[in-house]
Amino acid sequence: MATRKVCIIGSGNWGSAIAKIVGSNAANVPTFEKTVNMWVFEEMVNGRKLTEIINTEHENVKYLPGHKLPPNVVAVPDLVDAVKEADILIFVIPHQFIGKVCDTIKGHIKADAVGMSLIKGVDEGPDGLKLISDVIREKLGIIMTVLMGANLANEVAEEKFCETTIGCKSKELGPVLKELMQTANFRVTVVEEADVVEICGALKNIVAVGAGFCDGLGYGDNTKAAVIRLESCGVADLITTCYGGRNRKIGEAFAKTGKSIEQLEKELLNGQKLQGPATASEVNHILKYKSLTDKFPLFTAVHQICFEAHPVQEFISCLQNHPEHM
């Protein structure tokens, strides 16, 4: 049986951590072709091209410094070149860029390629929320799967133990993808409910911004726990993000400094993109359309504070609204 070629689309913090795992497994498991292409958005770092640094020093010095990537992971600056002949496409880019990426590679990928989305976000469709995997599926016409979990990129790169979930509706594909992703310290469970896996991964980022507000306003653990439990969705992922993720970090800085989300993203995230506020905006648009904002006061409050100039000091009032649980 022919080996499967893997391409990672994206090379930020999380994409580079995944490249460590995928590169190592591809090099050692006969199911996969040894060389793994990783599309890198080209930028200059200390006067050198980032792709050149990755391919000579095997380290993404900007987004995952201090961690060596396997030498069989090859950084490719041209997106179309990166995806050619790939059997498995791993999408790990900020969700606001997915449309442009799909438009670029359409017509340049294998018709029987399989996609895996690691992107935690949602898109707005005309009739409601649209999953990122559905956006990719509709644009490219390929089978889609997802991987979501309580996986802070730096801890995964440090090979600290964690679990993750692959949502895959195909019983044949599931074991192949598990073989590609699982290590002794990155434990994979495969489930068929791919849509549930994906929506959990997206919504928890909104809650994490609220958790950051609590930290910035000096509230205690009891208050923060009340925020976290309100939308108990993807609980392990939710808790990890609310204590250690970038969405919480920006939420805290927003509450403390009064600076805008955009400004804090530039100052604190070293080129990484924030997902929580954007997801809050997209979810809020749909909640308004469906007249459901009162049912989701936490999501609504995060949106109003981030985008409608509501004072962050009033955030905690959303907890008194007794929302119905999802």
Side-chain angles (χ1 to χ4, degrees), residues 58-233:
H58 307 296
E59 180 182 349
N60 188 333
V61 293
K62 178 162 185 183
Y63 295 108
L64 194 68
H67 294 282
K68 289 294 180 188
L69 300 177
N72 58 311
V73 173
V74 178
V76 181
D78 185 277
L79 179 54
V80 171
D81 285 346
V83 301
K84 273 180 185 165
E85 303 305 315
D87 300 290
I88 299 173
L89 299 166
I90 299 173
F91 294 87
V92 54
I93 54 175
H95 81 271
Q96 46 268 59
F97 301 144
I98 195 61
K100 185 178 178 186
V101 162
C102 287
D103 291 341
T104 302
I105 66 176
K106 186 176 174 64
H108 299 282
I109 59 172
K110 293 172 82 167
D112 61 350
V114 174
M116 177 187 279
S117 173
L118 278 63
I119 301 168
K120 291 174 175 175
V122 288
D123 197 30
E124 287 180 43
D127 301 314
L129 293 180
K130 187 176 270 192
L131 299 174
I132 299 299
S133 63
D134 286 338
V135 174
I136 300 170
R137 184 185 297 112
E138 288 173 16
K139 282 185 173 284
L140 300 179
I142 60 174
I143 293 170
M144 282 302 299
T145 64
V146 299
L147 180 146
M148 305 277 157
N151 309 139
L152 294 177
N154 284 23
E155 293 188 9
V156 171
E158 289 161 12
E159 299 179 24
K160 294 180 177 176
F161 180 85
C162 66
E163 299 173 316
T164 201
T165 306
I166 289 176
C168 175
K169 292 170 185 174
S170 161
K171 285 185 166 65
E172 292 73 36
L173 273 176
V176 176
L177 297 174
K178 181 170 182 171
E179 196 175 30
L180 178 64
M181 305 306 299
Q182 179 156 279
T183 71
N185 291 310
F186 192 68
R187 300 298 300 277
V188 175
T189 302
V190 181
V191 302
E192 289 184 34
E193 297 83 2
D195 294 353
V196 178
V197 172
E198 188 170 3
I199 200 69
C200 288
L203 295 182
K204 56 90 192 180
N205 278 333
I206 310 174
V207 186
V209 177
F213 291 164
C214 286
D215 291 340
L217 293 165
Y219 294 133
D221 287 344
N222 289 346
T223 310
K224 190 169 172 181
V227 169
I228 293 172
R229 77 110 183 118
L230 279 176
E231 306 293 345
S232 186
C233 183

